[in-house]
Amino acid sequence: MENRIEILLEKYSHSRRDSLIPILQDIQEEVGYLSEEAIVIVGKHLGIPTSKIFGLATFYNQFRFEPKGIHHIQVCHGTACHMLGVVSIIEIIEKRLKIKAGQTSRNGKYSLEVVTCIGACSQSPVISINGVYYSKLTAERIKQILEEIMGE
Amino acid sequence: MQFNIEVNNRLIEVRKGETILSALYRNGIKVPTLCNMKDLSPTGACRICVVEVEGKENLVTSCSYPVEESMKIKTHSPRVVKARKTLVELLLSNHPDDCLYCERNGCCELQDLAIDLNIRERRISGKKSRHKLDLSSPSIVRDPAKCILCGRCVRVCDEIQSVCTLDFLNRGSKTIIGTAMARDLNFSSCINCGRCVMVCPTGALHEHGYLDEVLDSLNNPALHVVVQYGPAVTVSLAEEFGIKAGKDINGVINAALRKIGFAQIFDTAFGADLAVMETVELIMQRLETGEGFPVISSCCPAWVKYAEQFYPDILPYLSTCKSPQQMLGSIIKSYYAPQNNINPNSIYSVAIMPCLAKKFEAQREEMTHKAISDVDVVITTRELSRLIKMYGIDIQNIDPQTPDSPFGTRSSAGKLFGTAGGTTEAILRTLHYRMTGKELNSSKWHDLRFVSGIKEIPVKIGGKELKIVLANGLTGIEKLVEGILNKTINAHFVEIMTCPGGCVNGGGQPFKSGDKDVKARTRSLYEIDEVDTIKAAHKNPLINELYEKFLEKPGSDKAKQQLHTCYTKRDVLL
Ligand code: SF4
Ligand code: SF4
Ligand code: FES
């Protein structure tokens, strides 16, 4: 992975602090998440303490710090989904999979991400698992979906 | 340029360009602050310092707003007071309700604000934050539930200490202060200096206390409990009892410790004398070959950890001498114990220090051999004051006593280790004797006293010119270390103290003391030196006796085994 990140940093060879966010976005795109190793390399490259990089990265919802699970669940928390009770859907997922938003389960099978509006408001509440959408969710339905992926 | 502005219907004189707050302070008008820090640029984050400016719709933050000509200000109008009160109530809305059990009970800025603003009930109630305590560090406890996000710790660690361990993590209501990758403090780049503890307004950052361990050991008949106290402690403790800053109560401390039940009482300044003897030997050896310079001090454990993490290449230059605390600890168990037919395993060795990093140092693996640690536990000046109060000792009414043999005499040079520049001064006195065979006419080195920041100071000994560098605090330390590494800075001896002012201003010292108090402590150390008869380590008869009976001579194999160590690169997230 070190290599992939270093290649990626080549195009930022003269940059400083202001390119931090684009660099982090590129790494996430390439590797799927911001590992400790990646943050250390970027810190050295830009001369910024890792605490500052981590602080900035955690400010934005878009960055994750663990690799995605085999089943990557994205839950929309836009206004429409919020109004239609997505919070309780998130709670059900967190409880069933024993992970919190932003985390990946220990066995690497599941990960959960809460995202801002994914533009399917008429279908609220909506989630996607590895890019497949599930809409107009109810408590019953989400439990059923979870059983299905857990049974695989 | 100066002009007048009107504050609370009275004219005050202000300077162009200064902030409203600084003008108010100079004129004796008090406005509360939280996020504001002396000598650092304002952030305007907490808004507690708001005042009303005529003609402005919104209240302005006085800490960041500059004075303007013909301004009319109200600092305590009903509107201002109400705004401040609401802000504090909001801070309290999710704050834990356990003041009684808090480290900072009685000296908490949030508590003070609540009292001053007459907050008597919880009108706004928020979800309590449920962050877990971080107890990983031997020096510092983090309790994020008590954090009010003023950001003072982040700024002191970045801007004064150059360590940058902390930052704001997450966003909005989830914001907390944390380290890179949200690691526990002990696995971060923190050097345990405790500057963040000193500036924290609440109990969110506090020292890792060990009073329970000390009490348990005192009550354990199988243990022989000995204690040593650092040079800065005796000139600082008085403040905890409302006595004037800088008063030396060394004798009273001896008496109090004896009353509490410590079997033997030792003065770390004796360890400092030993450190001088060994460091001077090291310098003498290098002078012979002219190689291996500079010798860099290693008596400050926070600086040592800084070097291990950020500049491992500098480690070969670090003096191999252990710090005075560890040297004394080591000979207590290896010399005092057998001399008195005590099994070193049954000695429990306590050190009272002005410092939080010393807690970490005592637990370093290099400081334990065959399961025997040089020092078993370190408590601070603050913890000592609690211990004394716990035992109901009235320090105003006990007679001073002296410390115990075989380490009962110290030189006043050893005492100087408590202040920045003092270590060097102590070393030069003995170095002068070793280089010239003659004692100094005047033992004072004025150039080394009250130095601010990093300074190169040439000194003459005999016919030879030696170059000394003092680093009083870590601000700008990168430049110094890089200069040494690329040979643009050539020195013979470099003293580095992490705390500005040295250990008198350490992270274990009384809270709420200002610059003036710290200066008073330093002056007191110099006064002790002024009147003392033994002014140099090599003139301490008990040091010489210790070498005769046990350590042979400075730099001997025996001395190396007991008093020296080495440091290696440390991997943490920088
Ligand atoms: S103890 Fe010192 S190094 Fe550690 S976080 Fe606090 S200020 Fe930074
Ligand atoms: S300067 Fe003194 S009090 Fe401060 S960290 Fe170093 S040893 Fe401790
Ligand atoms: S002290 Fe002025 S905004 Fe905090």
Side-chain angles (χ1 to χ4, degrees):
Chain A
M1 164 164 26
E2 205 176 319
N3 244 329
R4 271 153 82 197
I5 295 169
E6 255 145 29
I7 292 169
L8 199 151
L9 283 175
E10 271 168 23
K11 74 172 178 188
Y12 293 100
S13 57
H14 296 294
S15 37
R16 301 234 33 99
R17 276 168 189 257
D18 44 347
S19 20
L20 181 55
I21 292 180
I23 291 178
L24 296 180
Q25 282 169 330
D26 280 8
I27 294 177
Q28 173 137 318
E29 179 89 24
E30 173 79 21
V31 198
Y33 73 111
L34 300 179
S35 65
E36 181 178 306
E37 194 188 3
I39 289 179
V40 171
I41 296 172
V42 173
K44 281 219 180 93
H45 185 79
L46 297 179
I48 305 176
T50 49
S51 60
K52 304 294 141 187
I53 299 179
F54 189 65
L56 185 89
T58 53
F59 187 84
Y60 299 99
N61 278 329
Q62 54 172 296
F63 294 114
R64 38 187 307 114
F65 305 93
E66 292 177 54
K68 284 181 193 165
I70 299 169
H71 302 280
H72 183 58
I73 307 174
Q74 287 180 300
V75 182
C76 174
H77 197 177
T79 317
C81 289
H82 183 83
M83 297 304 290
L84 290 168
V86 79
V87 174
S88 65
I89 303 273
I90 297 176
E91 277 167 9
I92 292 171
I93 303 174
E94 287 185 334
K95 219 166 162 186
R96 191 70 189 90
L97 300 180
K98 298 198 180 71
I99 51 173
K100 290 240 172 304
Q103 291 180 336
T104 302
S105 65
R106 283 231 180 133
N107 59 12
K109 272 194 169 164
Y110 320 106
S111 53
L112 175 63
E113 186 180 358
V114 175
V115 296
T116 45
C117 190
I118 53 179
C121 299
S122 60
Q123 305 293 313
S124 304
V126 55
I127 68 166
S128 88
I129 303 180
N130 294 346
V132 181
Y133 286 86
Y134 298 82
S135 47
K136 300 202 171 160
L137 287 175
T138 58
E140 297 310 301
R141 179 80 183 109
I142 185 67
K143 283 181 189 156
Q144 200 185 358
I145 295 169
L146 290 174
E147 288 322 312
E148 278 165 28
I149 61 167
M150 290 175 82
E152 274 175 24
Chain B
M1 198 186 89
Q2 304 209 328
F3 53 86
N4 286 338
I5 63 171
E6 194 185 302
V7 179
N8 304 338
N9 303 322
R10 197 163 64 86
L11 286 184
I12 66 167
E13 205 175 71
V14 304
R15 299 174 188 147
K16 193 175 175 212
E18 73 177 332
T19 61
I20 297 176
L21 188 71
S22 101
L24 293 177
Y25 275 9
R26 225 168 359 83
N27 286 278
I29 302 164
K30 207 181 139 203
V31 163
T33 61
L34 265 179
C35 65
N36 188 56
M37 292 175 82
K38 211 178 132 262
D39 301 332
L40 296 184
S41 47
T43 60
C46 76
R47 298 196 54 86
I48 289 290
C49 66
V50 286
V51 295
E52 193 171 349
V53 177
E54 198 180 284
K56 291 224 167 15
E57 200 183 324
N58 294 322
L59 300 178
V60 307
T61 51
S62 60
C63 71
S64 56
Y65 207 91
V67 287
E68 284 162 7
E69 254 167 290
S70 61
M71 244 181 180
K72 286 189 177 149
I73 295 174
K74 293 258 183 318
T75 60
H76 289 82
S77 65
R79 187 176 162 212
V80 169
V81 173
K82 188 159 173 244
R84 279 187 207 138
K85 193 164 175 172
T86 309
L87 284 167
V88 175
E89 287 182 305
L90 279 168
L91 289 176
L92 289 169
S93 68
N94 65 352
H95 201 82
D97 277 323
D98 63 351
C99 287
L100 196 50
Y101 309 105
C102 180
E103 277 280 320
R104 294 298 294 267
N105 190 21
C107 67
C108 164
E109 289 180 39
L110 189 59
Q111 234 177 30
D112 292 349
L113 277 173
I115 295 169
D116 290 353
L117 292 164
N118 195 31
I119 296 172
R120 291 277 157 235
E121 59 179 332
R122 175 165 268 154
R123 283 195 309 139
I124 314 168
S125 174
K127 210 161 129 202
K128 295 267 179 315
S129 61
R130 291 194 181 280
H131 293 289
K132 70 172 181 39
L133 274 183
D134 175 1
L135 290 161
S136 65
S137 157
S139 302
I140 292 161
V141 176
R142 265 181 350 118
D143 188 354
K146 290 187 179 144
C147 177
I148 57 170
L149 301 173
C150 67
R152 298 204 312 214
C153 54
V154 176
R155 291 161 72 210
V156 86
C157 191
D158 288 4
E159 296 177 40
I160 310 278
Q161 299 306 84
S162 326
V163 182
C164 304
T165 300
L166 303 170
D167 202 5
F168 290 89
L169 308 183
N170 309 327
R171 172 166 56 167
S173 64
K174 295 217 173 88
T175 310
I176 56 163
I177 302 283
T179 67
M181 306 312 288
R183 280 199 181 175
D184 281 348
L185 207 55
N186 203 31
F187 307 100
S188 74
S189 60
C190 170
I191 60 171
N192 307 301
C193 66
R195 299 321 304 164
C196 54
V197 171
M198 297 308 281
V199 298
C200 181
T202 72
L205 286 160
H206 60 262
E207 74 198 279
H208 197 146
Y210 293 94
L211 273 188
D212 287 343
E213 283 79 351
V214 172
L215 291 171
D216 284 349
S217 69
L218 283 168
N219 287 313
N220 183 343
L223 290 177
H224 183 78
V225 189
V226 303
V227 65
Q228 60 168 303
Y229 49 81
V233 173
T234 69
V235 294
S236 314
L237 183 72
E239 291 159 55
E240 291 276 9
F241 294 88
I243 304 170
K244 179 169 118 274
K247 175 131 181 68
D248 179 44
I249 52 168
N250 199 340
V252 168
I253 291 178
N254 291 330
L257 292 173
R258 215 161 266 141
K259 268 207 162 147
I260 289 168
F262 289 100
Q264 297 285 313
I265 292 136
F266 301 128
D267 185 341
T268 311
F270 184 90
D273 280 346
L274 261 183
V276 168
M277 298 300 285
E278 294 296 321
T279 311
V280 167
E281 175 61 27
L282 201 78
I283 297 174
M284 290 300 288
Q285 282 170 10
R286 298 203 186 168
L287 278 174
E288 239 164 65
T289 58
E291 272 165 38
F293 286 115
V295 173
I296 306 178
S297 69
S298 62
C299 50
C300 170
W303 148 244
V304 171
K305 187 166 187 267
Y306 180 93
E308 290 175 318
Q309 298 170 173
F310 290 95
Y311 292 101
D313 292 344
I314 202 81
L315 294 174
Y317 296 99
L318 253 61
S319 160
T320 55
C321 299
K322 287 185 187 173
S323 71
Q325 162 182 293
Q326 298 303 129
M327 282 200 179
L328 185 56
S330 168
I331 53 161
I332 286 172
K333 294 202 179 170
S334 62
Y335 173 69
Y336 161 80
Q339 240 206 353
N340 293 279
N341 293 320
I342 302 167
N343 179 349
N345 277 315
S346 61
I347 290 188
Y348 192 78
S349 188
V350 180
I352 304 167
M353 292 290 143
C355 174
L356 296 187
K358 292 275 164 197
K359 291 175 185 262
F360 166 81
E361 182 184 38
Q363 299 196 359
R364 292 181 65 110
E365 50 179 284
E366 299 89 342
M367 304 299 161
T368 296
H369 290 286
K370 301 201 179 119
I372 298 180
S373 307
D374 293 346
V375 171
D376 293 292
V377 77
V378 178
I379 61 172
T380 59
T381 310
R382 294 190 294 265
E383 288 174 280
L384 172 61
S385 87
R386 270 188 232 166
L387 189 65
I388 290 174
K389 287 171 189 162
M390 212 184 275
Y391 274 79
I393 295 168
D394 178 5
I395 65 155
Q396 311 262 24
N397 283 310
I398 48 175
D399 291 329
Q401 296 179 1
T402 52
D404 288 302
S405 60
F407 315 126
T409 304
R410 52 132 185 88
S411 81
S412 59
K415 207 68 192 155
L416 294 185
F417 269 64
T419 180
T423 302
T424 307
E425 194 166 338
I427 287 171
L428 289 181
R429 290 179 188 175
T430 295
L431 186 65
H432 182 277
Y433 176 73
R434 287 286 303 271
M435 285 174 69
T436 64
K438 281 189 259 169
E439 299 296 345
L440 280 163
N441 295 333
S442 153
S443 52
K444 271 196 215 164
W445 247 291
H446 287 289
D447 297 359
L448 298 168
R449 299 190 174 187
F450 296 105
V451 165
S452 66
I454 297 176
K455 205 171 154 197
E456 298 185 28
I457 302 159
V459 298
K460 258 217 161 86
I461 296 186
K464 199 169 162 65
E465 184 154 304
L466 296 182
K467 208 147 120 210
I468 306 292
V469 180
L470 286 190
N472 179 4
L474 291 187
T475 315
I477 194 72
E478 299 95 336
K479 254 202 186 147
L480 171 61
V481 178
E482 277 158 24
I484 294 170
L485 285 173
N486 65 29
K487 309 254 182 258
T488 49
I489 296 177
N490 295 302
H492 291 92
F493 184 74
V494 180
E495 174 189 320
I496 300 178
M497 290 291 155
T498 299
C499 297
C503 307
V504 282
N505 192 25
Q509 294 282 62
F511 285 128
K512 288 195 168 173
S513 41
D515 291 353
K516 270 202 201 126
D517 305 317
V518 173
K519 282 232 167 75
R521 296 172 198 160
T522 303
R523 251 183 277 115
S524 176
L525 289 175
Y526 288 133
E527 279 158 20
I528 293 169
D529 180 50
E530 196 71 41
V531 297
D532 216 278
T533 44
I534 306 175
K535 287 192 174 29
H538 65 277
K539 302 195 50 174
N540 180 346
L542 294 184
I543 285 283
N544 295 327
E545 186 185 303
L546 178 67
Y547 277 107
E548 267 162 40
K549 288 197 178 153
F550 180 59
L551 292 168
E552 293 155 17
K553 60 180 182 26
S556 71
D557 287 347
K558 190 103 207 176
K560 282 215 180 87
Q561 194 192 341
Q562 298 301 339
L563 310 177
H564 291 250
T565 183
C566 67
Y567 301 105
T568 46
K569 180 173 188 298
R570 189 182 284 271
D571 258 324
V572 294
L573 293 183
L574 297 181

